[in-house]
Amino acid sequence: DVKVTQSSRYLVKRTGEKVFLECVQDMDHENMFWYRQDPGLGLRLIYFSYDVKMKEKGDIPEGYSVSREKKERFSLILESASTNQTSMYLCASSLSGSLPLGDTQYFGPGTRLTVL
Amino acid sequence: AQKVTQAQTEISVVEKEDVTLDCVYETRDTTYYLFWYKQPPSGELVFLIRRNSFDEQNEISGRYSWNFQKSTSSFNFTITASQVVDSAVYFCALSDHYGNNRLAFGKGNQVVVIP
């Protein structure tokens, strides 16, 4: 079974703090993804990575950065958290590199971040 | 333009009733993939099914079944004899070349099964 884990289920931070969300997958997947999920807006892609040290912007990268130093780990960084970044953050991974068509993504349990 | 439309926001059913979730998609491609995911209250999206555009066979997996109709651009999902554990948000998603192979998700259907 594919296992994607996220470092925290719930996180509360203050405005202006630097926030790290960590994601680890144990299936040697090439691709990793960060989404945010908001009521009425569905899931939106923030960033993804198809290889170590590689990253691609998704639909809403503003205010976020990412880091992938090891294949199994993908970090989402909020350089200076703001209240409009309060959301559910979901990490996912998929097997094949370079994001081929139809590659199935497997998701972690999510981190519910609140920025006060 | 929305690529994946799930029109019913919230659906309530009494346990043991059947429930069908509609998914209508839009794509210019002839080759594409469709997915369904389940998100229970715990939050994790659970992969249910993947279907490519050349495979129009309907699929059944236990109490779950899927009806793919290319002619109407729909990929509907039916839960037969619903149970309380089926209470979740269900997402339909599309992957096509036009979208750079990324997943485009619908807004989701909240299913509430009443005991």
Side-chain angles (χ1 to χ4, degrees):
Chain A
D1 271 359
V2 177
K3 188 77 173 174
V4 180
T5 58
Q6 295 182 229
S7 50
S8 307
R9 293 301 302 272
Y10 299 92
L11 209 52
V12 179
K13 296 291 181 181
R14 298 216 171 268
T15 302
E17 279 192 77
K18 190 168 186 175
V19 181
F20 292 86
L21 302 183
E22 306 285 343
C23 175
V24 177
Q25 51 91 7
D26 68 356
M27 285 302 292
D28 204 32
H29 282 182
E30 302 286 340
N31 299 318
M32 296 187 76
F33 307 81
W34 276 107
Y35 293 86
R36 67 176 280 177
Q37 182 180 12
D38 301 287
L41 296 176
L43 278 86
R44 294 179 291 168
L45 182 64
I46 305 171
Y47 267 99
F48 71 97
S49 167
Y50 53 85
D51 201 353
V52 174
K53 297 191 187 296
M54 305 300 287
K55 62 184 179 185
E56 289 270 348
K57 291 181 180 178
D59 300 318
I60 51 163
E62 297 78 18
Y64 303 95
S65 62
V66 289
S67 172
R68 193 165 180 203
E69 297 295 320
K70 293 185 178 181
K71 189 176 184 179
E72 67 272 16
R73 188 179 297 270
F74 192 36
S75 303
L76 180 69
I77 304 156
L78 287 66
E79 294 289 343
S80 178
S82 63
T83 55
N84 63 12
Q85 292 178 309
T86 291
S87 186
M88 173 73 140
Y89 290 88
L90 289 156
C91 176
S93 71
S94 69
L95 178 62
S96 308
S98 301
L99 201 59
L101 185 66
D103 209 24
T104 300
Q105 294 182 27
Y106 297 91
F107 285 80
T111 295
R112 195 168 292 280
L113 172 68
T114 302
V115 182
L116 302 173
Chain B
Q2 194 172 3
K3 298 183 71 169
V4 179
T5 302
Q6 295 179 253
Q8 313 126 299
T9 310
E10 182 166 330
I11 305 162
S12 293
V13 296
V14 176
E15 202 171 18
K16 297 184 185 173
E17 287 183 346
D18 298 347
V19 55
T20 295
L21 309 181
D22 298 330
C23 172
V24 175
Y25 60 91
E26 182 185 324
T27 180
R28 301 178 191 176
D29 292 327
T30 55
T31 305
Y32 52 89
Y33 284 79
L34 295 160
F35 299 80
W36 276 96
Y37 286 86
K38 173 184 179 180
Q39 186 178 39
S42 58
E44 178 178 349
L45 263 77
V46 178
F47 165 70
L48 295 178
I49 191 170
R50 182 185 81 158
R51 173 70 69 213
N52 76 54
S53 51
F54 297 106
D55 182 1
E56 288 194 72
Q57 264 196 324
N58 291 331
E59 177 144 347
I60 297 174
S61 176
R63 295 183 297 106
Y64 294 171
S65 61
W66 290 269
N67 183 354
F68 180 27
Q69 300 263 351
K70 274 177 89 168
S71 59
T72 56
S73 297
S74 65
F75 186 42
N76 296 339
F77 172 35
T78 297
I79 304 172
T80 302
S82 60
Q83 300 176 2
V84 172
V85 291
D86 297 325
S87 295
V89 181
Y90 292 86
F91 290 94
C92 180
L94 166 73
S95 173
D96 63 1
H97 288 301
Y98 184 68
N100 296 319
N101 300 350
R102 302 174 186 184
L103 282 182
F105 286 89
K107 297 280 175 71
N109 301 120
Q110 170 82 60
V111 172
V112 178
V113 180
I114 302 162

CSV table of all heavy atoms in Angstrom, one decimal, chain A residues 23-25 28-30 32 49 51-54 67-75:
chain,number,residue,atom,x,y,z
A,23,CYS,N,6.0,16.5,4.1
A,23,CYS,CA,5.3,15.3,3.5
A,23,CYS,C,6.3,14.2,3.2
A,23,CYS,O,7.3,14.6,2.6
A,23,CYS,CB,4.5,15.8,2.3
A,23,CYS,SG,3.7,14.4,1.4
A,24,VAL,N,6.0,13.0,3.5
A,24,VAL,CA,6.9,11.9,3.2
A,24,VAL,C,6.1,10.8,2.6
A,24,VAL,O,5.0,10.4,3.1
A,24,VAL,CB,7.6,11.4,4.5
A,24,VAL,CG1,8.5,10.2,4.2
A,24,VAL,CG2,8.4,12.5,5.2
A,25,GLN,N,6.7,10.2,1.5
A,25,GLN,CA,6.0,9.0,0.9
A,25,GLN,C,7.1,7.9,0.9
A,25,GLN,O,8.3,8.1,0.8
A,25,GLN,CB,5.5,9.3,-0.5
A,25,GLN,CG,6.5,10.0,-1.4
A,25,GLN,CD,7.3,9.1,-2.3
A,25,GLN,OE1,7.1,7.8,-2.3
A,25,GLN,NE2,8.3,9.6,-3.0
A,28,ASP,N,8.7,5.2,-3.2
A,28,ASP,CA,9.7,5.5,-4.2
A,28,ASP,C,9.0,6.2,-5.4
A,28,ASP,O,9.5,6.1,-6.6
A,28,ASP,CB,10.4,4.2,-4.7
A,28,ASP,CG,11.8,4.5,-5.3
A,28,ASP,OD1,12.4,5.5,-4.9
A,28,ASP,OD2,12.1,3.8,-6.3
A,29,HIS,N,8.0,7.0,-5.1
A,29,HIS,CA,7.3,7.8,-6.2
A,29,HIS,C,8.2,8.9,-6.7
A,29,HIS,O,8.9,9.6,-5.9
A,29,HIS,CB,6.0,8.3,-5.7
A,29,HIS,CG,4.9,7.2,-5.7
A,29,HIS,ND1,3.6,7.5,-5.3
A,29,HIS,CD2,5.0,5.9,-6.0
A,29,HIS,CE1,2.9,6.4,-5.4
A,29,HIS,NE2,3.7,5.4,-5.8
A,30,GLU,N,8.1,9.2,-8.0
A,30,GLU,CA,8.9,10.3,-8.6
A,30,GLU,C,8.2,11.7,-8.3
A,30,GLU,O,8.9,12.7,-8.0
A,30,GLU,CB,9.0,10.1,-10.1
A,30,GLU,CG,9.7,8.8,-10.5
A,30,GLU,CD,11.2,8.8,-10.2
A,30,GLU,OE1,11.8,9.9,-10.1
A,30,GLU,OE2,11.7,7.7,-10.2
A,32,MET,N,5.7,14.5,-6.5
A,32,MET,CA,5.0,14.8,-5.3
A,32,MET,C,4.3,16.2,-5.5
A,32,MET,O,4.8,17.0,-6.3
A,32,MET,CB,6.0,14.9,-4.1
A,32,MET,CG,6.6,13.5,-3.8
A,32,MET,SD,7.6,13.5,-2.3
A,32,MET,CE,6.3,13.5,-1.0
A,49,SER,N,6.5,18.5,-7.8
A,49,SER,CA,7.9,18.2,-8.1
A,49,SER,C,8.0,16.9,-8.8
A,49,SER,O,7.4,15.9,-8.3
A,49,SER,CB,8.7,18.2,-6.8
A,49,SER,OG,10.0,17.6,-7.0
A,51,ASP,N,11.0,15.5,-9.6
A,51,ASP,CA,12.3,14.9,-9.3
A,51,ASP,C,13.0,15.7,-8.1
A,51,ASP,O,12.5,16.8,-7.8
A,51,ASP,CB,13.2,15.0,-10.5
A,51,ASP,CG,14.4,14.0,-10.5
A,51,ASP,OD1,14.6,13.4,-9.5
A,51,ASP,OD2,15.1,13.9,-11.5
A,52,VAL,N,14.0,15.1,-7.6
A,52,VAL,CA,14.7,15.8,-6.5
A,52,VAL,C,15.2,17.2,-7.0
A,52,VAL,O,15.7,17.2,-8.1
A,52,VAL,CB,15.9,14.9,-6.0
A,52,VAL,CG1,16.7,15.7,-5.0
A,52,VAL,CG2,15.3,13.7,-5.3
A,53,LYS,N,15.0,18.2,-6.2
A,53,LYS,CA,15.5,19.5,-6.5
A,53,LYS,C,14.7,20.2,-7.7
A,53,LYS,O,15.1,21.3,-8.1
A,53,LYS,CB,17.0,19.6,-6.7
A,53,LYS,CG,17.8,19.2,-5.5
A,53,LYS,CD,19.3,19.6,-5.7
A,53,LYS,CE,20.1,19.0,-4.5
A,53,LYS,NZ,19.8,19.7,-3.2
A,54,MET,N,13.7,19.5,-8.2
A,54,MET,CA,13.0,20.1,-9.3
A,54,MET,C,11.6,20.5,-8.8
A,54,MET,O,11.0,19.8,-7.9
A,54,MET,CB,12.7,19.1,-10.5
A,54,MET,CG,14.0,18.5,-11.0
A,54,MET,SD,15.1,19.8,-11.7
A,54,MET,CE,14.3,20.2,-13.2
A,67,SER,N,10.4,22.7,-1.2
A,67,SER,CA,11.8,22.1,-1.2
A,67,SER,C,11.7,20.6,-1.3
A,67,SER,O,10.9,20.0,-0.6
A,67,SER,CB,12.5,22.5,0.2
A,67,SER,OG,13.7,21.8,0.3
A,68,ARG,N,12.6,20.1,-2.2
A,68,ARG,CA,12.7,18.6,-2.3
A,68,ARG,C,14.1,18.3,-2.4
A,68,ARG,O,14.7,18.2,-3.5
A,68,ARG,CB,11.9,18.1,-3.5
A,68,ARG,CG,11.7,16.6,-3.4
A,68,ARG,CD,10.7,16.1,-4.4
A,68,ARG,NE,10.5,14.7,-4.3
A,68,ARG,CZ,10.0,14.0,-5.3
A,68,ARG,NH1,9.6,14.6,-6.4
A,68,ARG,NH2,9.8,12.7,-5.2
A,69,GLU,N,14.7,18.0,-1.3
A,69,GLU,CA,16.1,17.6,-1.2
A,69,GLU,C,16.3,16.1,-1.3
A,69,GLU,O,17.4,15.6,-1.7
A,69,GLU,CB,16.7,18.1,0.2
A,69,GLU,CG,16.7,19.6,0.3
A,69,GLU,CD,17.6,20.3,-0.7
A,69,GLU,OE1,18.7,19.7,-1.0
A,69,GLU,OE2,17.2,21.3,-1.3
A,70,LYS,N,15.3,15.3,-0.9
A,70,LYS,CA,15.3,13.9,-1.0
A,70,LYS,C,14.1,13.4,-1.7
A,70,LYS,O,13.0,14.1,-1.6
A,70,LYS,CB,15.4,13.2,0.4
A,70,LYS,CG,16.7,13.5,1.1
A,70,LYS,CD,16.7,12.7,2.4
A,70,LYS,CE,18.0,13.0,3.2
A,70,LYS,NZ,18.1,12.2,4.4
A,71,LYS,N,14.2,12.3,-2.4
A,71,LYS,CA,13.1,11.8,-3.2
A,71,LYS,C,11.8,11.6,-2.4
A,71,LYS,O,10.7,11.9,-2.9
A,71,LYS,CB,13.5,10.5,-3.8
A,71,LYS,CG,12.5,10.0,-4.9
A,71,LYS,CD,13.1,8.7,-5.5
A,71,LYS,CE,12.2,8.3,-6.7
A,71,LYS,NZ,12.8,7.1,-7.3
A,72,GLU,N,11.9,11.1,-1.2
A,72,GLU,CA,10.7,10.8,-0.4
A,72,GLU,C,10.1,11.9,0.3
A,72,GLU,O,9.0,11.8,0.9
A,72,GLU,CB,11.1,9.7,0.6
A,72,GLU,CG,12.0,10.1,1.7
A,72,GLU,CD,13.5,9.9,1.4
A,72,GLU,OE1,13.8,9.8,0.2
A,72,GLU,OE2,14.3,9.9,2.3
A,73,ARG,N,10.7,13.1,0.3
A,73,ARG,CA,10.3,14.2,1.2
A,73,ARG,C,10.0,15.5,0.4
A,73,ARG,O,10.9,15.9,-0.4
A,73,ARG,CB,11.3,14.5,2.3
A,73,ARG,CG,10.9,15.4,3.3
A,73,ARG,CD,12.0,15.6,4.4
A,73,ARG,NE,12.2,14.3,5.1
A,73,ARG,CZ,11.6,13.9,6.2
A,73,ARG,NH1,10.8,14.7,6.8
A,73,ARG,NH2,11.9,12.8,6.8
A,74,PHE,N,8.9,16.1,0.6
A,74,PHE,CA,8.5,17.3,-0.1
A,74,PHE,C,7.9,18.3,0.9
A,74,PHE,O,6.9,18.0,1.6
A,74,PHE,CB,7.5,17.0,-1.2
A,74,PHE,CG,7.2,18.0,-2.2
A,74,PHE,CD1,8.2,18.9,-2.6
A,74,PHE,CD2,5.9,18.2,-2.8
A,74,PHE,CE1,8.0,19.9,-3.6
A,74,PHE,CE2,5.7,19.2,-3.7
A,74,PHE,CZ,6.7,20.0,-4.1
A,75,SER,N,8.6,19.4,1.0
A,75,SER,CA,8.2,20.4,2.0
A,75,SER,C,7.5,21.6,1.4
A,75,SER,O,7.9,22.1,0.4
A,75,SER,CB,9.4,20.9,2.8
A,75,SER,OG,10.1,19.8,3.4
